[in-house]
Amino acid sequence: MSAPTVTRLVEADWRAFATLRLRALTDTLGTDDRQYHEELAFTAAQWRRRLRAHAQFALLADDLVGLIGAQRQSVDVVYLYSLWLEPAVRGRGLGHQLVSAAVDWARTQGARVVTLRVDSGNAAARGIYERLGFGVVEGPSKAHEVTMSLSVG
């Protein structure tokens, strides 16, 4: 495996992004899930629009093997979502690289806070976030999820 690098995907990367995103949905939700079917039907224009509207970061290690999305929620807040790694590369610290790239991007955008939600039972993902300084936010969350945040500004 070559040295892993993180890159921000641009509109021209829409095919690679679509392939990676659909692999992630298949792995996490399965092919019977409603969200998988919705995104499977996306047109090229819809994939490009997603890449324009949200920052998407991919991990490259011989092939694209990981993904995380980031979007502005407000002037001060960036929300991270959909951290995913190919099962074969999990447990190697690569998720840390993806999250770090998204947090660095949030800083360059002038955000003061980065937030995310994670399944309360996902110890691996929570560990990544906690090692980067994210803390659990008290308050309402979706069932089986916790909200975490990191001050960056």
Side-chain angles (χ1 to χ4, degrees):
M1 181 168 78
S2 64
T5 58
V6 176
T7 187
R8 180 171 177 196
L9 300 175
V10 297
E11 281 186 65
D13 300 320
W14 74 268
R15 284 182 183 89
F17 172 56
T19 300
L20 189 61
R21 174 69 178 158
L22 292 171
R23 276 197 336 249
L25 289 172
T26 299
D27 178 53
T28 56
L29 302 174
T31 57
D32 292 331
D33 186 79
R34 177 190 55 81
Q35 185 174 354
Y36 171 80
H37 284 280
E38 285 176 9
E39 294 189 29
L40 182 63
F42 276 9
T43 64
Q46 287 172 297
W47 288 113
R48 287 186 187 105
R49 188 174 315 118
R50 170 112 22 117
L51 288 167
R52 274 194 312 271
H54 304 171
Q56 299 288 337
F57 298 91
L59 182 70
L60 178 64
D62 294 329
D63 193 12
L64 293 177
V65 296
L67 187 66
I68 192 169
Q71 73 180 77
R72 297 291 306 235
Q73 279 192 315
S74 70
V75 172
D76 293 329
V77 180
V78 166
Y79 177 71
L80 304 185
Y81 63 93
S82 298
L83 172 63
W84 179 79
L85 291 168
E86 287 279 3
V89 301
R90 293 176 187 163
R92 299 181 189 178
L94 301 175
H96 187 277
Q97 286 183 255
L98 274 169
V99 177
S100 291
V103 168
D104 289 346
W105 175 82
R107 282 188 183 100
T108 68
Q109 300 302 301
R112 295 178 46 172
V113 176
V114 177
T115 65
L116 57 88
R117 288 191 316 262
V118 61
D119 187 288
S120 58
N122 189 340
R126 284 188 67 170
I128 292 168
Y129 302 136
E130 288 167 356
R131 283 188 294 281
L132 286 165
F134 282 83
V136 174
V137 175
E138 299 301 322
S141 270
K142 291 185 175 184
H144 308 292
E145 288 185 340
V146 293
T147 299
M148 300 181 82
S149 72
L150 173 68
S151 178
V152 293

